[in-house]
Amino acid sequence: MIKLTELVPQRQLNELSLRSVGNKVKTILNKVALKKGKKDAEDLQQSDVAAAIPSASLNKYLGQLKAIIYPLYELAIEGSQEQTEACRAVALKMGVLKLMKGSADFGGQDGNFASDKYHAQKLKGSVEAIKDLMYRMQQDMKKDVAKLDPAGAASFSVEDAIEMLYFKYSTEKSALVAIARGVQKVVGGFMLDGRIFRVLQNQLRKAFPGESGRLLNSVMADFIGSIAGITSDYGGKACSAYFDGIRSQINYLSKAFGDQGAPNGGYEKFWNDGDIDWNIRVRCLQSCETSGARQQLTVSDIEKRKRNLGIPSF
């Protein structure tokens, strides 16, 4: 016989999780409890849910789970290159004149970093895989729920499926970790930049607005976080370091050619974008640093160009 003291912790977990689900899902879970001879959903064990609604278990969807992880893994493998490409895209859009004036336009139209738009494109595969997972789970859960509550099944939505998924794994995180570790054996462990992870969360909130987006993000954070290590959010620091690396080149060229009285340090008169090494790399550990420019004009190159342009050297 199970003692009451052994049930209290599970009941408390269930109580907390049930606060985040709607009445429809609560009604379905209460019917599961009655079928199992229990008072209500607060007394459920996760084995009860798994038996009554097997489609709520993620281990039935390993193909979709792998599809979620693969794009993240590819971004992690690219590592500093991915962060550099995002910062480069922002810098090129800003242009030399804004950078010359010290602009640090990190802001995007949605209030996030401008580089987030670049990351979002790379994360489409993961977002689409998560959407596919939830639509499949909704269809499968609907069939399971029909055996318990035909009326509830008729209007069972994707949002309801997310609530059911949240209830199951918010009270059974060890099972979610076990599934994640199984996927990790296939794809391998990796480190994911915290900024990229936050962009993924933002994209999920757009795909699933409201409370369902928050609940789904909670489950995905536990799942992805059990496979990948999430590093610090280097978004602004990485681009700041990249901009500084470009500005140092701009300052060098401005100083070399700007003593002729030309506006903007001689930009587009004596030198242009092609004289800047936009391919410098950013690397972030505890801080962010850039590699040196590889194609910077030497003193000899500058003197030769001045002679060709008819500019006197001093």
Side-chain angles (χ1 to χ4, degrees), residues 50-305:
I53 310 174
S55 54
S57 299
L58 282 173
N59 54 14
K60 292 173 60 67
Y61 305 91
L62 293 180
Q64 282 74 34
L65 295 178
K66 293 173 188 175
I68 292 168
I69 296 300
Y70 281 133
L72 302 177
Y73 178 76
E74 290 175 0
L75 290 178
I77 292 299
E78 293 177 4
S80 60
Q81 178 182 344
E82 169 63 21
Q83 190 60 268
T84 298
E85 291 292 341
C87 299
R88 182 183 299 120
V90 176
L92 288 170
K93 185 175 181 180
M94 287 172 60
V96 167
L97 293 180
K98 279 190 177 181
L99 290 166
M100 186 184 291
K101 294 173 183 176
S103 177
D105 186 12
F106 298 124
Q109 292 182 351
D110 56 2
N112 296 309
F113 289 131
S115 60
D116 288 0
K117 185 176 181 181
Y118 176 90
H119 293 315
Q121 292 296 317
K122 297 290 191 78
L123 289 166
K124 276 187 175 180
S126 289
V127 174
E128 289 302 314
I130 292 171
K131 288 165 67 175
D132 179 62
L133 170 68
M134 292 318 307
Y135 291 130
R136 286 176 182 242
M137 293 190 80
Q138 182 256 345
Q139 290 297 313
D140 292 343
M141 284 189 202
K142 193 170 185 176
K143 295 174 184 176
D144 291 338
V145 170
K147 301 172 185 177
L148 298 162
D149 182 1
S155 59
F156 194 81
S157 66
V158 171
E159 290 74 21
D160 297 326
I162 291 172
E163 290 181 6
M164 190 69 76
L165 181 70
Y166 173 81
F167 176 77
K168 177 169 175 54
Y169 288 109
S170 62
T171 60
E172 195 184 23
K173 291 192 177 182
S174 61
L176 184 59
V177 171
I179 294 168
R181 294 292 159 79
V183 174
Q184 187 184 56
K185 288 180 181 179
V186 178
V187 301
F190 56 94
M191 300 297 293
L192 185 66
D193 187 288
R195 187 71 220 164
I196 294 174
F197 181 66
R198 282 161 181 75
V199 174
L200 174 64
Q201 291 183 310
N202 288 337
Q203 293 303 108
L204 285 183
R205 279 192 285 269
K206 290 178 182 178
F208 300 94
E211 183 69 1
S212 59
R214 184 187 73 81
L215 299 180
L216 184 57
N217 263 322
S218 176
V219 176
M220 286 298 139
D222 287 335
F223 172 67
I224 295 170
S226 297
I227 297 173
I230 310 298
T231 69
S232 297
D233 182 343
Y234 288 117
K237 292 180 181 178
C239 286
S240 180
Y242 180 85
F243 292 172
D244 286 345
I246 297 299
R247 284 197 191 100
S248 68
Q249 298 179 67
I250 291 173
N251 293 337
Y252 174 79
L253 292 167
S254 296
K255 185 176 180 180
F257 292 101
D259 57 0
Q260 307 305 311
N264 299 321
Y267 174 61
E268 290 190 334
K269 184 175 179 66
F270 304 132
W271 60 277
N272 55 39
D273 290 24
D275 295 312
I276 296 174
D277 181 7
W278 299 94
N279 295 315
I280 57 174
R281 300 285 294 275
V282 179
R283 181 173 176 80
C284 296
L285 292 174
Q286 291 185 342
S287 61
C288 295
E289 298 178 353
T290 56
S291 60
R294 290 172 292 179
Q295 62 183 51
Q296 195 166 41
L297 292 176
T298 65
V299 173
S300 176
D301 294 331
I302 290 169
E303 291 301 316
K304 183 177 179 180
R305 181 176 295 188

